[in-house]
Every structure is written in C-alpha cells, then in structure tokens.
Amino acid sequence: MRAELEAGAWKVIAEGRETGTAGIFRPNGEVREGLIDEIVHDIDPARILFDAPRKDQQVWFVRRFGTEVNLGNVPAGEVLALETLRLGLRSDTMGVGRRGP
C-alpha cells in the first residue's frame, strides 16, 4: 500500500472480497484487528478504502475510524442502511459523532 501511495495513488484498497471472508477479515467474517492496526500505523486511514460488505464489518469500521471512514464493496441495496449507521440513527453507532459540517 505504501508503495502504491508513493507511486501516486490517491487511495488504496484494504481488500476483503465480496463475501467479507478474506484479506482484512477472517474466514468467519471477523475483522483482523491486528492487521488493521498495523496498516493504519503506517498509512492514514483517510487514504484507505476498506472493503466492508457486511453490516457488522461496517459498524466496526464506523466505530473505529468515525463516520467519514471510506467503505467500499457495500452491496447497492444496503447503502441506505450504511448511511443510517453513519448518521447514528441505529443503535449500533448511536453516539458516534460525525466529523466536519
């Protein structure tokens, strides 16, 4: 990721596949927190697009990095539900503040 950013990439992707069971996730879909911690130790999370196809994964990223976290690989039919998470309109993320206006 660092090399891609140094080569001029605007953002890089933390891959999790469409199923959310590989890459940054364990086979059961659990976030590999240690791996994420290692990545964001070196790379600003604002420059990363995190795959998060499952609601529990989306909640984890919103709670960890805030409501403006870059999430990708979100099924089209679940975009509205993700926005309600970001706005704190669901119990999963109630009290998580938005950054900026």
Side-chain angles (χ1 to χ4, degrees), residues 6 28 35 49-50 58 65:
E6 289 171 358
N28 67 358
L35 177 58
L49 177 69
F50 297 98
Q58 296 162 13
F65 296 112

Side-chain angles (χ1 to χ4, degrees), residues 65-99:
F65 296 112
T67 58
E68 299 300 315
V69 64
N70 300 304
L71 298 178
N73 204 5
V74 175
E78 297 178 23
V79 172
L80 185 58
L82 172 58
E83 187 59 16
T84 63
L85 288 171
R86 290 182 184 277
L87 292 171
L89 298 175
R90 298 181 60 150
S91 62
D92 309 88
T93 55
M94 198 168 285
V96 176
R98 277 186 94 79
R99 290 182 280 167

Side-chain angles (χ1 to χ4, degrees), residues 36-57:
I36 299 297
D37 288 342
E38 286 182 40
I39 293 170
V40 300
H41 178 74
D42 287 336
I43 299 171
D44 178 2
R47 300 198 68 193
I48 303 171
L49 177 69
F50 297 98
D51 272 357
R54 295 174 27 176
K55 180 185 170 223
D56 59 315
Q57 296 164 344

